[in-house]
């Protein structure tokens, strides 16, 4: 690992939350990790307990498969849900809903964010890099990509995203962190490959508990709309300050992403492949985009080939 100035080297691991619906995409991610990610960076997969047998073959010398139950907050109970076919018929979410004794039912998306926070808080490394299972590495990735001296990368884009959801997430971060009310705290922090420094995450947890007077997980369970990456970024930026948090800001994404829109035609796919930038080390095609596994993997391969061509050039 890159050595911290005047101290021990900073350590890092990858963390991926997944489930059986994303298994094939996650297997492709794992293969790309084994090809491109520095071997000293361990990879953790966190999945529902019932999916452990499915994901178990992905474990290995540098990869662990853990149950999300180990990181769910105390008092969370998974609500009984119908089969995937009936979920689709009834318009229910893909992910679970959780019941708690201290909040309204918690959506699976919110629970997953809380799992990320809990898993980072308990990590044995200084840094946790969050990578979704519909992502794939396309270039070598090592500590030099996210560490400068004794500082750790924070994705910070000063351009606002003009969507109601983002404004809700910023407003929620302000309330949880005790900041003057705002629906935009000067930057966006959501990306497809997000780096957290554990010490900064622990400071965020302490701040939430100080402001709300509750355990951080209770406070978040009672917050119907928040985004973990916004919460972490706003805390580091506006509460601690980047210098004090041991972070440096970078407005360039490490990931070449297609978030929501499907691919219109072959020309659109060609344009997507050609648009990968030299600093981008991974490629994300959102799992909700209707693509066959074969086309998805082919696009990953093409983006990887374009990245290699750029690097040779």
């Amino acid at each position: 690992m890159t050595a911290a100035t005047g101290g021990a080297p900073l350590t890092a691991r990858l963390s991926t939350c997944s489930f059986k619906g994303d298994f094939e995409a996650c297997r492709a991610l794992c293969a790309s990790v084994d090809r491109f990610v520095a071997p000293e960076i361990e990879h953790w997969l966190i999945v529902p307990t019932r999916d452990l047998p499915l994901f178990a073959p992905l474990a290995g010398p540098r990869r662990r498969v853990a149950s999300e139950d180990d990181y769910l907050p105390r008092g969370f109970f998974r609500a009984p849900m119908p089969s995937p076919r009936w979920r689709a018929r009834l318009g229910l979410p893909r992910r679970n809903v959780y019941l708690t004794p201290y909040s309204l039912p918690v959506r699976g998306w919110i629970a997953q964010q809380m799992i990320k926070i809990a898993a980072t808080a308990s990590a044995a490394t200084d840094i946790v890099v969050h990578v979704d299972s519909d992502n794939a590495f396309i270039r070598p990735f090592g500590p030099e990509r996210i560490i400068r001296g004794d500082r750790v990368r924070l994705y910070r884009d000063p351009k606002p995203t003009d969507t109601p959801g983002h404004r809700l997430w910023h407003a929620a971060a302000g309330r949880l962190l005790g900041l003057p009310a705002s629906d935009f705290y000067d930057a966006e922090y959501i990306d497809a490959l997000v780096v957290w420094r554990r010490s900064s995450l622990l400071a965020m947890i302490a701040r939430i508990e100080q402001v709300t007077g509750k355990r951080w997980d209770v406070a978040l369970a009672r917050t119907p709309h928040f985004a973990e990456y916004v919460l972490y970024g706003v805390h580091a930026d506006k509460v601690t300050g980047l210098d004090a948090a041991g972070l440096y800001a970078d407005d360039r994404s490490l990931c070449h992403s297609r978030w929501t829109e499907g691919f219109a035609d072959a020309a659109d796919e060609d344009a997507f492949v050609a648009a990968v930038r030299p600093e981008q080390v991974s490629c994300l095609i959102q799992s909700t985009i209707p693509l066959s596994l074969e086309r998805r993997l082919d696009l990953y391969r093409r983006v990887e080939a374009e990245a290699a061509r750029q690097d040779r050039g």
Side-chain angles (χ1 to χ4, degrees):
M1 290 293 174
T2 301
T5 302
L10 294 171
T11 56
R13 82 182 192 195
L14 303 177
S15 182
T16 300
C17 291
S18 192
F19 75 119
K20 65 181 180 181
D22 286 344
F23 175 74
E24 292 299 337
C26 189
R27 179 154 60 182
L29 165 66
C30 292
S32 75
V33 168
D34 294 342
R35 287 201 308 276
F36 287 114
V37 176
E40 68 269 25
I41 298 179
E42 197 172 47
H43 185 198
W44 283 56
L45 303 179
I46 301 173
V47 303
T49 299
R50 65 177 180 273
D51 295 342
L52 285 173
L54 177 65
F55 282 83
L58 300 180
R62 61 100 49 89
R63 182 171 297 108
R64 299 191 189 188
V65 180
S67 169
E68 66 178 22
D69 288 347
D70 295 337
Y71 304 105
L72 277 171
R74 283 178 288 162
F76 267 53
F77 301 96
R78 191 179 295 109
M81 293 289 282
S83 69
R85 181 167 63 89
W86 277 102
R87 287 195 199 195
R89 283 191 177 188
L90 298 172
L92 297 174
R94 287 199 307 163
R95 297 195 181 275
N96 295 300
V97 173
Y98 295 85
L99 305 178
T100 84
Y102 44 75
S103 72
L104 294 173
V106 176
R107 291 171 295 144
W109 182 64
I110 294 293
Q112 184 183 87
Q113 296 183 68
M114 298 170 71
I115 288 168
K116 290 180 185 179
I117 292 170
T120 302
S122 65
T125 55
D126 303 299
I127 300 164
V128 173
V129 181
H130 296 282
V131 53
D132 288 343
S133 54
D134 46 6
N135 212 329
F137 284 89
I138 57 170
R139 279 189 169 99
F141 177 78
E144 71 282 353
R145 296 277 189 177
I146 57 172
I147 300 172
R148 293 180 183 171
D150 60 353
R151 297 194 180 198
V152 175
R153 185 183 198 271
L154 171 72
Y155 175 72
R156 185 188 189 280
D157 186 353
K159 298 187 296 294
T161 300
D162 189 24
T163 62
H166 283 242
R167 291 193 289 271
L168 283 173
W169 298 335
H170 277 259
R175 290 192 298 273
L176 289 162
L177 298 173
L179 296 173
S182 176
D183 62 3
F184 182 63
Y185 288 97
D186 300 329
E188 297 287 2
Y189 307 94
I190 295 177
D191 201 14
L193 193 67
V194 172
V195 182
W196 280 358
R197 187 168 192 154
R198 181 173 175 270
S199 58
S200 188
L201 184 281
L202 292 175
M204 181 196 82
I205 287 173
R207 174 74 174 195
I208 291 171
E209 295 184 339
Q210 176 191 7
V211 168
T212 65
K214 304 176 183 68
R215 286 192 343 241
W216 69 269
D217 51 338
V218 173
L220 293 187
R222 294 177 178 176
T223 305
H225 301 286
F226 74 91
E228 76 281 41
Y229 298 149
V230 173
L231 192 56
Y232 174 89
V234 170
H235 175 268
D237 215 353
K238 299 299 182 182
V239 178
T240 307
L242 300 190
D243 288 345
L247 307 177
Y248 71 90
D250 195 333
D251 64 358
R252 301 172 303 164
S253 174
L254 289 173
C255 184
H256 182 46
S257 305
R258 178 64 67 102
W259 287 102
T260 54
E261 308 86 5
F263 293 94
D265 49 31
D268 189 15
E269 292 182 0
D270 292 344
F272 176 74
V273 170
V276 64
R277 299 197 303 270
E279 70 273 10
Q280 293 173 329
V281 298
S282 73
C283 177
L284 174 133
I285 302 172
Q286 188 78 284
S287 61
T288 53
I289 292 176
L291 275 181
S292 69
L293 179 65
E294 292 74 18
R295 283 184 67 201
R296 183 179 297 272
L297 296 181
D298 182 61
L299 279 168
Y300 287 150
R301 285 191 291 266
R302 291 176 60 194
V303 173
E304 179 184 327
E306 173 61 20
R309 186 197 66 76
Q310 291 177 0
D311 294 345
R312 288 194 303 271

